[in-house]
Amino acid sequence: MLIEARDVPNLGFNFDLYSRNDMLTKKGLKPPGYLKTGTTIVGLIYKEGVILGADTRATAGPIVADKNCEKIHYMAPNIYCCGAGTAADTEAVTDNISSQLKLHRYHTGRESRVVTALTLLKSHLFRYQGHVSAALVLGGVDLTGPHLHTIYPHGSTDTLPFATMGSGSLAAMAIFESEYREGLTRDEGVNLVTKAICSGIFNDLGSGSNVDICVIEKGKKEYLRNHLTPNPRTYISSKGYAFSKKTEVLLTKITPLKELVDVVQVGGDGMEE
Amino acid sequence: MSIFEYNGSALVAMVGKNCFAIASDRRLGVQLQTIATDFQRIFKIHDKLFVGLSGLGSDAQTLYQRLVFRHKLYQLREERDMKPETFASLVSAMLYEKRFGPYFVQPVIAGLGEDDKPFICTMDSIGAKELAKDFVVAGTASESLYGACESMFKPDMDHEELFETISQALVSSIDRDCLSGWGGHVYIVTPTEVTERILKGRMD
């Protein structure tokens, strides 16, 4: 019954344009750069759960493309994942595995476990041999307790009490290595994560703007979007920009939009079988 | 030379008070030779949703045809127009599907969503969405556009002021880019009407 349209997509990647693009590259045309998330992403385990942190800068080469993007992605009500690397890859892979987790929750009737998300992510990334360039910090709390993992683009994983990824990872790890200890309280943990992200924001050129935090405990989570904004724009002129000369217009065409008409049925029933 | 610099383009969209504006240049070139001065880069999907496609001209037109197809199917099934947020997800999914052999296109999507709230968004060529609350830019003139918009933009402008701002930002950025130009094409969309204007610019 469905139209046999090749445009309605099947699952997975479509390699139709690969040979054309390869031909263009051989002719000397440089392939495009993708939006990267430069990034400082961190996670740590504290007394009651997991705290994830991320900066909010997205870069396209040396240009800041997005000053306030979201790098902490939702995976399940009790699991969140920070992503560094190619922005499209981190978004797509976390969205995909998040849907798979939801279907799994419907199937089993149970809360998702962090190791499930971990295995789904690492298998996906390994299958694509590192070409899906996503470096992730996965954290959550399930019935077995709090968990924190790092996942590399080729599919290897580590399980750690504190972790950093991205171009600002060295700056953030310096803070963690000097100040982390086990059994931190919530406020101490949030302050430490904020300090680590700030270290990345101010010292790494690929990271910047604001600090996002996500605190996950057993049974509840708090997503603190823009928890700290240490880089506000303070130089805006209150008068704004005054244009002395108006733009020259060659042609103007105004199209009024149609009004929506309410259809009222007068008497009688609708369609009868 | 990069594949995005083959045809040249400049695209910008801005949010105003209950309205939005989307503007593009009009040049189509083959590297440094200009072959058309009235090239359409901004397309209407439905009355309150516009999409601008910068980058390689042929991929832009092909992608536009595919998007119109998908939207028409959606209209037949759902008996209504697509919301801009939904459309952005659709474009993102279509671009990511071609992750390892992408369309050389950077779309700019602008529309009025529920309650006529303006929505703008741009993506890179593999579908990484960038939702902005103020302005989005794309094309070879994007670096100049970033600077011009950053300084000229004010929040909550009405449609007259928005038109002036987006036109000045577009024209001044195009003047600093060899590959885009030959005037500008600006659409201002409010809940009641769509105003399409052609701007006079430097013809070089």
Side-chain angles (χ1 to χ4, degrees):
Chain A
M1 187 223 101
L2 234 189
I3 306 162
E4 209 53 74
R6 274 172 301 136
D7 272 351
V8 182
N10 299 313
L11 301 164
F13 292 120
N14 181 308
F15 295 91
D16 281 351
L17 294 177
Y18 181 79
S19 35
R20 174 202 73 159
N21 292 3
D22 202 43
M23 180 269 293
L24 284 169
T25 317
K26 288 199 169 72
K27 279 198 167 175
L29 284 157
K30 276 188 358 252
Y34 303 133
L35 196 75
K36 295 208 157 246
T37 53
T39 306
T40 308
I41 48 175
V42 306
L44 64 69
I45 295 190
Y46 72 107
K47 203 156 60 173
E48 281 129 42
V50 170
I51 305 178
L52 299 172
D55 73 307
T56 61
R57 174 182 283 184
T59 53
I63 307 290
V64 177
D66 195 346
K67 291 184 281 185
N68 203 189
C69 69
E70 281 187 39
K71 298 187 192 178
I72 305 185
H73 306 284
Y74 168 88
M75 298 287 279
N78 58 325
I79 308 172
Y80 275 74
C81 185
C82 308
T86 304
D89 286 335
T90 56
E91 270 190 54
V93 87
T94 48
D95 272 351
N96 190 353
I97 269 69
S98 171
S99 321
Q100 287 187 38
L101 282 175
K102 185 146 201 190
L103 286 170
H104 192 250
R105 279 203 293 284
Y106 283 135
H107 216 68
T108 58
R110 291 187 171 96
E111 190 187 56
S112 297
R113 300 192 192 193
V114 183
V115 284
T116 317
L118 179 71
T119 310
L120 288 169
L121 284 165
K122 73 185 325 191
S123 335
H124 181 94
L125 292 173
F126 180 74
R127 231 171 60 235
Y128 289 99
Q129 288 290 293
H131 290 286
V132 174
S133 175
L136 310 165
V137 169
L138 175 73
V141 179
D142 55 31
L143 76 144
T144 49
H147 296 273
L148 181 68
H149 304 279
T150 52
I151 310 168
Y152 290 82
H154 285 261
S156 62
T157 59
D158 287 316
T159 307
L160 299 159
F162 57 93
T164 66
M165 292 283 260
S167 55
S169 61
L170 273 67
M173 189 51 100
I175 302 291
F176 274 172
E177 284 287 7
S178 41
E179 296 182 35
Y180 180 82
R181 32 171 236 284
E182 285 187 20
L184 289 164
T185 64
R186 182 195 179 280
D187 289 330
E188 286 173 341
V190 170
N191 285 339
L192 185 58
V193 166
T194 309
K195 216 167 155 191
I197 300 287
C198 282
S199 161
I201 286 174
F202 294 118
N203 299 112
D204 174 43
L205 299 177
S207 319
S209 297
N210 316 121
V211 180
D212 281 352
I213 305 257
C214 186
V215 183
I216 311 173
E217 291 174 6
K218 190 168 176 60
K220 73 169 163 103
K221 59 156 192 279
E222 261 183 277
Y223 187 74
L224 304 165
R225 170 82 169 137
N226 287 2
H227 171 70
L228 191 70
T229 46
N231 294 299
R233 212 179 139 193
T234 49
Y235 49 86
I236 312 175
S237 149
S238 52
K239 285 179 292 172
Y241 213 87
F243 299 110
S244 49
K245 258 185 156 183
K246 282 204 163 294
T247 339
E248 279 190 70
V249 178
L250 292 173
L251 160 73
T252 308
K253 190 167 99 167
I254 303 181
T255 318
L257 294 177
K258 295 182 283 252
E259 270 177 25
L260 280 173
V261 179
D262 275 311
V263 177
V264 179
Q265 226 160 23
V266 181
D269 297 325
M271 298 211 331
E272 284 172 29
E273 280 283 306
Chain B
M1 184 178 246
S2 157
I3 189 72
F4 282 104
E5 289 165 17
Y6 189 74
N7 290 133
S9 53
L11 266 179
V12 56
M14 272 192 194
V15 165
K17 198 171 173 68
N18 294 331
C19 62
F20 69 84
I22 183 168
S24 77
D25 72 320
R26 309 188 74 209
R27 176 184 178 271
L28 177 75
V30 169
Q31 295 187 321
L32 294 175
Q33 185 189 37
T34 306
I35 53 173
T37 58
D38 57 357
F39 191 64
Q40 182 83 345
R41 282 205 170 83
I42 298 173
F43 304 101
K44 186 175 96 155
I45 301 290
H46 63 75
D47 280 338
K48 292 180 181 174
L49 179 60
F50 284 76
V51 63
L53 298 167
S54 75
L56 192 65
S58 47
D59 276 356
Q61 289 183 333
T62 305
L63 188 66
Y64 164 65
Q65 287 165 5
R66 296 236 157 109
L67 289 171
V68 162
F69 171 76
R70 296 294 297 269
H71 184 250
K72 283 186 176 175
L73 260 184
Y74 185 92
Q75 274 177 323
L76 287 169
R77 291 190 176 123
E78 302 252 337
E79 292 183 359
R80 64 181 177 89
D81 290 328
M82 228 189 233
K83 280 193 272 212
E85 295 87 355
T86 317
F87 186 73
S89 294
L90 171 68
V91 181
S92 176
M94 285 177 75
L95 292 174
Y96 193 72
E97 198 189 2
K98 299 263 192 291
R99 165 70 171 88
F100 298 117
Y103 286 115
F104 297 124
V105 174
Q106 271 168 326
V108 165
I109 296 159
L112 289 174
E114 238 160 301
D115 299 326
D116 291 328
K117 190 163 174 292
F119 170 87
I120 51 170
C121 142
T122 186
M123 287 167 213
D124 69 352
S125 56
I126 46 173
K129 269 187 289 199
E130 187 213 315
L131 307 163
K133 297 204 170 57
D134 40 18
F135 58 87
V136 291
V137 304
T140 47
S142 60
E143 290 178 29
S144 306
L145 278 165
Y146 273 125
C149 291
E150 192 75 57
S151 49
M152 295 181 194
F153 180 82
K154 281 197 312 268
D156 287 331
M157 286 184 280
D158 67 15
H159 66 274
E160 300 271 335
E161 217 191 330
L162 185 66
F163 166 70
E164 200 54 47
T165 308
I166 201 176
S167 309
Q168 291 279 355
L170 183 74
V171 171
S172 44
S173 305
I174 284 175
D175 285 351
R176 279 287 183 178
D177 178 32
C178 308
L179 299 166
S180 24
W182 262 270
H185 207 141
V186 186
Y187 290 83
I188 310 284
V189 181
T190 64
T192 49
E193 62 185 18
V194 173
T195 312
E196 182 189 337
R197 289 194 183 93
I198 310 244
L199 305 173
K200 180 169 170 202
R202 287 172 60 134
M203 304 310 223
D204 62 356

